[in-house]
Amino acid sequence: RTALLPMMGCSTSTDEWWCVWLKPSACDEADIAADCASTCCRAAAVNATLDSLADDLLSVSVALNTAWKLLCGVLVMLMQLGFAMLEAGTVREHNVIATYAKNIIDVILGTLIAALWGYSVAYGGTWPLAWDEDTTAEDHYSFFVFLAFQSTCATIVSGAMAERTAVGSYLVLSCTVSGLLYPLAVQFAYSSRGFLHNLEPSFVDFAGSGVVHALGGCAALVGAVAAGPRTGRFDPKTVADFSPHNVPQVLSGTMLLWVAWFAFNMGSGGGPLAGRGGAATAAGAATATALSSACAGVVGGLLAPALRRDTASRSASARRLLSRCCAAGGRSGERLLLSPPSFDLLAFANGILGGLVGITAGCASIDLGLAAAVGVVSGVVFSSASEATSRWGVDDVVDAFAVHGACGVWGLLAVGLFDRGGGLLPTGSGRLLGSQALGALVLAALGCGGAAAAAGTLRWLGVLRVSREQEESGLDSEFGLKAYSRNTDVLQRCRTVSALLSENGFSALDLFDALVSLRGVVYRTFTPQAADHKLEGEVKGRRSGIRILVSQLAREGTLSWCSGQGHPAAPLVRLARRAGRPAAPRLPEPPQGGRGRRGAHLRRYGAPAAREPALPRVGRAGAEGRGGGAEGQAAGLGLARLDESQGASHSARRGREQLQTTPSVLSATRDCRG
């Protein structure tokens, strides 16, 4: 206004100054109607115009800030889809529908609980269901953002307890987190009556590293401990069955969470038009979030394989299995498979999320260089916590505690160390670090205590976990749906074979090793003395799978010969018959043998079937296993197609007798476990 007066030709005398600044109403309506040209009247008109412009600017500012907050809230709600995709890709294929259903249930229950009492417990004030047209836009978007963050906190528990928690019990846990734990945490940290907010200096959690993630991660850890590990999760024979069934879906969920997390952090401020620093705060939060997550992802992907104690053994088993499956691919494929992985892609994805969690509390108050340090430490914290939970036997399906719980606590402490206004490193004062440590302890205790009370009660009642049969069939059966209907028959056969192997004490790798060993015996060439009696189809055998091998063994009578009571190969025969594979008809039991070595073997394994085709005539050196015994085993065994013009029945009996008395053959058969 002072600048406008000279432009209007007004002087700055005392009377005019008084008229302009203190008594703009000194001009009556008659003077204004008469188009009075006095300085006082002109100043009053300027006042009215500027007041109108200020009101318009305020309305535009409120509208833009409201749109900003609502857009960020919608993107935060989209994080539910990201969590659902990540969890659904991590679990096994018969639990995908249940995973998506639980995430939808989190949003539904969270909305109802927030409207009924959650928001009122957190901030006080009137009941949201009693709001009318006089309610401000700020109240509405505050409720919506509260709902979005609450749903994120609740869904963290779902991932840790996946695949074995009953749906009804999970509803109780979700209500506990949404209706009790999260509202109390918000009241402690953000409400004017919260004791963490009233600390000196005040507890700082800009976007929810502690209130959302540390709380949910600690509750997830307690829930996973109470539910116990999935059946066979830490059994070396079946641990490979729990690998993520859809890695691209896991990575897609990670990317979706990464994008939505920018809204999670930027939208926690007042908006780009909220004061002079609103835009700078939002932009700084975005850059700090991007830098921290990138550093944490690299560190997590490189460090996790180094910390995993059984990486070497599992990699060796997997490479051995894959190299045998890809034997037709030549030596180049074997060399590719023999190189151990030095970068864990799934740990890389979780490391990104850990970096996002770690910077969430201080994204608006930590400089970029220190934000990178927060990301590096977040990667280390995630990898260490993930390995620790695995060593302790905690079956955390999606590493919820390592990503959200451990990195969330670190994020709170990072504010006390690196905050530009009160952190230990920038200012040398440790008071803020003390407030942050107290807040982290309170929120972790709240999450662990509340989850322990709810999960412990459900476990005591015996309703927390589903039955073993339902766990094996998958939680999707509770909804009567199947995620992959086209592959249902194949998956059902895989589960049937897996259950059959488990009943007999085998793993899939044991079966594969046994079949590959038998194939090597059946299709291996003979000793040089019997080189003319090579088995037919040696080259074709390299392309044969398990079905072809078992069928061929059945046609040749091998399965009947090996099905004697107590024979090491008998379990394989039973497995082939139960799985519906063709097998030779069961032959009558032969007479028991007499005394001596041959008689003892006949009493143990039974006599060979009558009228079997003759075996080829082989040399004694080949039967005894010249060159390590492998070729001698093949010569004595003679389980493939035979040239009936070669040898006689006496040679067949002699060859089988030599095989049965060869210690190396018996040892190899026991190693294959049938």
Side-chain angles (χ1 to χ4, degrees):
R1 291 174 180 175
T2 303
L4 288 175
L5 289 178
M7 297 173 60
M8 299 174 62
C10 300
S11 64
T12 57
S13 64
T14 304
D15 294 340
E16 293 174 345
W17 190 267
W18 177 265
C19 178
V20 170
W21 287 102
L22 301 181
K23 295 183 178 181
S25 60
C27 301
D28 55 17
E29 296 180 359
D31 294 335
I32 297 177
D35 194 17
C36 178
S38 66
T39 303
C40 181
C41 294
R42 287 197 298 265
V46 171
N47 279 334
T49 302
L50 292 179
D51 288 341
S52 176
L53 291 176
D55 292 339
D56 293 342
L57 181 60
L58 180 62
S59 299
V60 172
S61 176
V62 171
L64 290 177
N65 280 328
T66 302
W68 165 264
K69 298 282 285 187
L70 290 176
L71 176 60
C72 291
V74 170
L75 291 176
V76 173
M77 288 291 290
L78 196 62
M79 292 177 68
Q80 295 297 314
L81 176 59
F83 280 119
M85 293 177 64
L86 187 148
E87 183 183 345
T90 304
V91 300
R92 289 171 291 180
E93 64 280 344
H94 50 281
N95 293 289
V96 175
I97 299 296
T99 298
Y100 278 97
K102 288 179 180 179
N103 281 269
I104 295 174
I105 290 172
D106 285 334
V107 179
I108 294 174
L109 291 178
T111 302
L112 298 177
I113 291 173
L116 292 175
W117 71 80
Y119 186 80
S120 299
V121 171
Y123 294 107
T126 59
W127 191 32
L129 294 180
W131 289 350
D132 52 20
E133 67 275 4
D134 296 330
T135 305
T136 63
E138 183 178 358
D139 291 332
H140 283 292
Y141 71 63
S142 177
F143 173 80
F144 181 70
V145 171
F146 173 86
L147 169 63
F149 280 53
Q150 172 191 267
S151 301
T152 301
C153 181
T155 199
I156 295 173
V157 183
S158 170
M161 305 176 64
E163 296 200 35
R164 76 271 199 193
T165 306
V167 176
S169 298
Y170 175 74
L171 297 183
V172 175
L173 293 173
S174 180
C175 291
T176 302
V177 175
S178 299
L180 179 63
L181 303 184
Y182 182 75
L184 289 177
V186 171
Q187 181 192 116
F188 293 163
Y190 301 136
S191 175
S192 58
R193 52 198 175 97
F195 77 95
L196 292 178
H197 180 76
N198 293 321
L199 291 175
E200 185 60 36
S202 179
F203 173 76
V204 177
D205 188 3
F206 181 76
S209 283
V211 174
V212 177
H213 298 284
L215 179 74
C218 292
L221 175 65
V222 174
V225 172
R230 292 166 288 178
T231 303
R233 171 61 181 86
F234 296 104
D235 187 352
K237 295 182 178 180
T238 57
V239 66
D241 297 339
F242 296 90
S243 300
H245 87 281
N246 195 333
V247 176
Q249 191 171 4
V250 175
L251 300 180
S252 299
T254 302
M255 288 297 299
L256 184 58
L257 287 172
W258 199 354
V259 172
W261 217 292
F262 289 101
F264 192 95
N265 289 351
M266 293 188 301
S268 297
L273 299 180
R276 295 181 178 179
T281 299
T287 53
T289 301
L291 189 59
S292 174
S293 58
C295 294
V298 173
V299 173
L302 293 174
L303 189 59
L307 294 179
R308 192 174 296 120
R309 61 179 178 179
D310 56 345
T311 299
S313 60
R314 285 195 293 182
S315 298
S317 300
R319 281 184 275 114
R320 184 171 68 252
L321 177 63
L322 290 176
S323 62
R324 288 171 177 173
C325 291
C326 303
R331 300 298 299 175
S332 60
E334 271 188 43
R335 286 195 298 268
L336 178 63
L337 292 169
L338 289 176
S339 57
S342 58
F343 188 84
D344 191 336
L345 188 59
L346 296 178
F348 169 70
N350 279 332
I352 292 174
L353 299 181
L356 293 171
V357 172
I359 198 61
T360 295
C363 58
S365 59
I366 296 179
D367 296 331
L368 287 183
L370 296 177
V374 172
V376 171
V377 178
S378 296
V380 176
V381 170
F382 155 72
S383 302
S384 303
S386 176
E387 176 61 21
T389 54
S390 179
R391 287 176 182 267
W392 296 338
V394 179
D395 186 12
D396 189 346
V397 179
V398 296
D399 276 333
F401 171 72
V403 171
H404 301 277
C407 291
V409 172
W410 156 243
L412 295 178
L413 299 179
V415 174
L417 293 173
F418 304 139
D419 185 87
R420 66 172 66 96
L424 179 62
L425 294 182
T427 65
S429 173
R431 298 180 61 192
L432 180 59
L433 180 60
S435 298
Q436 296 299 108
L438 178 60
L441 180 62
V442 169
L443 294 175
L446 178 63
C448 292
T457 302
L458 294 171
R459 181 174 179 177
W460 179 72
L461 295 175
V463 296
L464 177 62
R465 183 167 179 150
V466 298
S467 63
R468 181 171 181 177
E469 293 76 14
Q470 190 173 5
E471 181 182 350
E472 292 178 353
S473 62
L475 299 183
D476 291 356
S477 59
E478 294 191 14
F479 300 92
L481 299 172
K482 297 176 182 177
Y484 307 103
S485 57
R486 293 184 179 181
N487 298 331
T488 299
D489 296 337
V490 177
L491 297 175
Q492 184 62 36
R493 287 199 298 270
C494 289
R495 286 194 291 269
T496 301
V497 173
S498 178
L500 207 58
L501 290 170
S502 179
E503 291 176 3
N504 290 274
F506 301 136
S507 67
L509 188 58
D510 292 335
L511 175 62
F512 190 83
D513 287 340
L515 291 174
V516 169
S517 300
L518 287 177
R519 187 190 67 179
V521 172
V522 172
Y523 292 103
R524 196 184 303 274
T525 58
F526 288 155
T527 58
Q529 291 86 346
D532 294 336
H533 305 295
K534 292 182 179 180
L535 297 173
E536 183 180 356
E538 178 180 356
V539 178
K540 295 181 180 179
R542 289 188 173 275
R543 299 194 302 267
S544 299
I546 294 177
R547 179 182 300 178
I548 299 175
L549 177 60
V550 173
S551 301
Q552 184 170 350
L553 295 178
R555 287 195 302 270
E556 294 164 354
T558 304
L559 294 180
S560 297
W561 174 61
C562 297
S563 61
Q565 184 65 28
H567 194 280
L572 180 61
V573 180
R574 295 197 300 271
L575 179 65
R577 287 173 175 165
R578 292 185 186 180
R581 306 299 187 199
R586 187 180 301 273
L587 299 177
E589 292 294 335
Q592 298 297 328
R595 298 180 180 179
R597 193 172 186 178
R598 175 173 172 78
H601 182 80
L602 291 177
R603 286 193 299 270
R604 182 175 181 181
Y605 298 124
R611 297 184 180 179
E612 289 192 356
L615 295 175
R617 189 182 301 277
V618 297
R620 182 176 181 82
E624 292 177 352
R626 173 180 293 180
E631 295 178 352
Q633 296 170 22
L637 187 59
L639 296 178
R641 300 184 183 90
L642 306 172
D643 186 356
E644 295 184 359
S645 62
Q646 298 287 339
S649 59
H650 175 74
S651 299
R653 289 193 298 271
R654 181 60 179 169
R656 185 172 290 116
E657 181 180 354
Q658 291 175 351
L659 165 71
Q660 294 167 351
T661 57
T662 303
S664 61
V665 177
L666 297 179
S667 176
T669 307
R670 293 192 189 96
D671 291 341
C672 291
R673 305 186 68 181

